[in-house]
């Protein structure tokens, strides 16, 4: 899997301060997507063991609330094995002390069987629809058809 960005101090993609990974690859190509450069699976650079260690190290900071996985689309079939490795590593190291949020252009009903979601606290789902663009601050989605779905009882949205 390639990734086009790794932010170790992000306040725009989920609650609190987060580590955000923008993976490469998306076949949905939503018109008006804010991150078109991430559509290409070969964009960016390879996600390596070293990248994983950087991500885990950044999550050690007490002020960091958790991990946000965005894209592209982390739930593209080509990305799921590596995303699963990442979320398992985060859970192994931090348990439930750090939350994991994941954005996908697919509806929850279509991806509910993904083993990745067993480790995710909050799923933001649905394709971006430009005519339904949301302009309010503090909103975790780009268009009003998208949903913020707590996947575990302790997860907060």
């Amino acid at each position: 899997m390639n990734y086009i960005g790794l932010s170790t101090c992000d306040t725009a993609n989920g609650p609190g301060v987060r580590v955000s990974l923008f993976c490469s690859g998306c076949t949905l190509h939503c018109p008006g997507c804010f991150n078109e450069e991430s559509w290409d699976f070969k964009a960016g650079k390879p996600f390596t063991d070293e990248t994983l260690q950087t991500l885990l190290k950044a999550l050690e900071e007490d002020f960091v609330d958790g991990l946000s996985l965005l894209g592209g689309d982390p739930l593209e079939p080509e990305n799921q094995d590596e995303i699963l490795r990442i979320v398992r590593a985060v859970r192994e190291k931090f348990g439930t002390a750090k939350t994991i949020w994941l954005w996908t252009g697919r509806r929850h009903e279509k991806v509910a069987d993904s083993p990745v979601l067993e480790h995710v606290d909050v799923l933001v789902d649905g394709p971006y629809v430009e005519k339904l663009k949301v302009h309010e601050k503090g909103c975790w989605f780009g268009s009003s058809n998208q949903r913020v779905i707590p996947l575990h009882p302790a997860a907060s949205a």
Side-chain angles (χ1 to χ4, degrees):
M1 178 186 87
N2 278 12
Y3 71 102
I4 60 164
L6 175 60
S7 173
T8 59
C9 192
D10 185 355
T11 58
N13 294 299
V17 177
R18 311 192 62 78
V19 173
S20 293
L21 176 70
F22 294 84
C23 65
S24 299
C26 184
T27 57
L28 297 176
H29 299 177
C30 300
C33 174
F34 83 100
N35 208 1
E36 283 186 32
E37 64 273 12
S38 70
W39 292 355
D40 182 355
F41 287 92
K42 294 177 182 167
K45 42 191 171 173
F47 190 89
T48 64
D49 289 339
E50 183 179 327
T51 313
L52 179 58
Q53 293 311 310
T54 299
L55 183 150
L56 292 171
K57 181 73 173 156
L59 284 167
E60 289 177 2
E61 296 290 348
D62 288 338
F63 64 85
V64 174
D65 295 290
L67 174 66
S68 293
L69 298 165
L70 310 101
D73 194 329
L75 294 185
E76 283 285 351
E78 295 88 339
N79 292 335
Q80 285 201 45
D81 287 346
E82 193 67 25
I83 295 296
L84 182 58
R85 183 172 83 102
I86 294 165
V87 295
R88 283 180 173 162
V90 170
R91 288 295 180 230
E92 183 177 313
K93 184 165 184 169
F94 300 103
T96 58
K98 304 288 181 175
T99 60
I100 300 175
W101 281 48
L102 186 145
W103 279 253
T104 181
R106 284 138 176 93
R107 299 298 281 180
H108 180 230
E109 296 79 9
K110 298 282 188 190
V111 296
D113 62 346
S114 170
V116 170
L117 297 185
E118 294 173 23
H119 306 280
V120 171
D121 296 296
V122 177
L123 178 71
V124 182
D125 83 335
Y128 174 73
V129 178
E130 195 167 19
K131 69 181 179 183
L132 300 176
K133 183 176 182 174
V134 174
H135 297 282
E136 61 189 83
K137 290 184 179 185
C139 189
W140 307 122
F141 48 83
S143 59
S144 62
N145 63 298
Q146 296 172 314
R147 303 175 295 180
V148 177
I149 304 169
L151 296 180
H152 301 287
S156 61

